[in-house]
Amino acid sequence: MHIFVHNFNRFNHSMEQVRVRFAPSPTGPLHIGGVRTALYNYLFAKKNKGTFILRIEDTDQSRYTEGAEEYIMDSLRWCGIIVDEGIREGGKFGPYRQSDKKAAFREFADTLINKGDAYYAFDTSEQLEALRRESEKAGNTFIYNFANRGKLNNSVSLKEADWKEKIERGEPYVIRYKMPHNEEIHFNDLIRGQIVVNTSTLDDKVLFKSDGMPTYHLAHIVDDHYMEISHVIRGEEWLPSLPLHLMIYRSFGWEPPLYAHLPLLLKPDGKGKLSKRDGDTMGFPVFPLFWPYGETAKGYREEGYYPDAFVNMLALLGWNPGTEQEIFSMQELIEAFSIERVGKSGSKFDPEKAKWFNHQYLQKKTNNQLSMEFREILRTHGKHEDIVDLESLIGMVKERVSFVKDIWAQTDFFFKTPETYDQEVIKKRWKEDSASLLLELKEELKKIDDFSAGSTEPVIKAWIEKKGYNTGAIMTVFRLVIVGASRGPHMFDIIGWIGKAETLNRIDRGVSIIGK
RNA sequence: GGUCCAUUCGUCUAGUGGUUAGGACGUCAGGUUUUCAUCCUGUUAACAGGGGUUCGAUUCCCCUAUGGACUACCA
């Protein structure tokens, strides 16, 4: 048996320029697992003063989705992940879209054939499908490799004249990698360490499809090599095919990059990896941005998440700095990031914690910033307020909310006189003398011209004390007629904001409706 | 079925051959707020199981279990 030890400690790698790529396939919106992969690549690149490349892997024409490329680029931009080389940015290693150089890939497939490391195969998908089913029925696993290739319809089993004639006739074929028999491949993953696989368990993967396009396995290797990628950081779903990739590198005689396979993001119910199909079924978005095509899906941006909060949350999902710091700016993430501190096991994520992150970031915004954002929401309710007024309002409720859109639910009563009054509160707190007390309070308020809290509060408190009234009894019913319920910020702040006329009006209205 | 990977509180995780196994989110309780929310304080809860190795294993090794990925002319 041959033992192939992939030389994973290339001496000069640390000296080389770090170049990493995020290479999604434009089959739809990018889900948060993909965003996280992009983020880790970006953090790793910037930490090492390297280059972050965006490459579009669109070798499957049947799954190509209009708008997906734009969506991917827009998502990264929203997240603050800056692409150094890519379709929009250009670069010396283009084209950055694989379909733009499909002819070139064919030459590499031919190179492998000429070396004897690949061969033509004429079996149809249907034939192979049938063979697989048959084997399964017999309790075996059908593998297209050394065990079977001699019996199948390909340039290994056929006479040269025969398979050449097939090709000349124009019979469709694929090009398969000729996986050797019984070799141990030793390789290293930056996150998982040493792994050993025997080539006999691997199959002769298709490298080049009958439609003239390479498969992922061929295309990404050629591109990674010519783009001088130093580190491949990708999802764990690729780990099983890494031995194949290393074998292809060996066949070409190229030095492979270093690999790090990231643990997967799991569905919150613990059943399988998160997928694009999970769109709206999880109770939280799985996409960064709204996806407007076909089956639409909501995004974190539209849900009101701040990109830096979203990125912070995602960064900590599967990686940690080893300290107790949890809030990181992008710059801090870059400085703190290291591949070694990426975890090994998949993680489900907690929507509650995501909300908490946004809460933290929202608290750091100024009242002015929040006012501008909230003003947009107010417009949808037909309200047009002055920014200055909104700033003081925001100041009252800011720390109660995690999202700007939640501010309305906290402040609706500032903008409209209550139409209903909480029955529970009436039952519990509305006493025989409540109406008369409120009317008395109204008379006291009438005397005050400056309605700011600093002005009204001491006067009213003094009045309550002088009269010997119960503060709680008065303030609760006062709140009831002003707010309509038992909630909200300080009463004196509220009436200061809505003003004297509205305050007096609400007392009258409340007393007349609740009665007695 | 086969191959590979993984397994610390409900969740994200720290950590070590000898620790009261730490933090965060959540939960619950108390305090503050005369309300609600926030906030503060406290509480809760974990090394999957079984064998080794060892004076001693959560930590190292093996097995089992469980979970996951892959097993397409998709990436």
Side-chain angles (χ1 to χ4, degrees), chain A residues 52 61 67 79 125 166 277 298 324 354 461-463 467 471:
Chain A
F52 175 72
Q61 295 155 321
C79 291
S125 303
K166 277 172 180 283
R277 309 272 296 280
K298 56 185 182 178
E324 281 175 7
K461 278 192 168 164
W463 167 73
K467 290 282 197 170
T471 313

Side-chain angles (χ1 to χ4, degrees), chain A residues 16 34 36-37 65 108 111 121 142 191 193 220 247 252 282 292 298 434 452 456 465:
Chain A
E16 279 173 22
R36 193 192 58 165
T37 302
T65 304
F108 290 98
T111 302
F142 172 83
I191 293 170
H220 95 275
M247 292 300 286
F252 280 125
M282 290 296 161
K298 56 185 182 178
S434 293
S452 69
T456 53
E465 197 175 333

Side-chain angles (χ1 to χ4, degrees), chain A residues 271-291:
Chain A
K271 288 272 168 234
K273 68 168 173 174
L274 201 61
S275 73
K276 290 178 183 177
R277 309 272 296 280
D278 296 323
D280 287 324
T281 64
M282 290 296 161
F284 58 85
V286 300
F287 302 111
L289 314 179
F290 174 66
W291 171 254

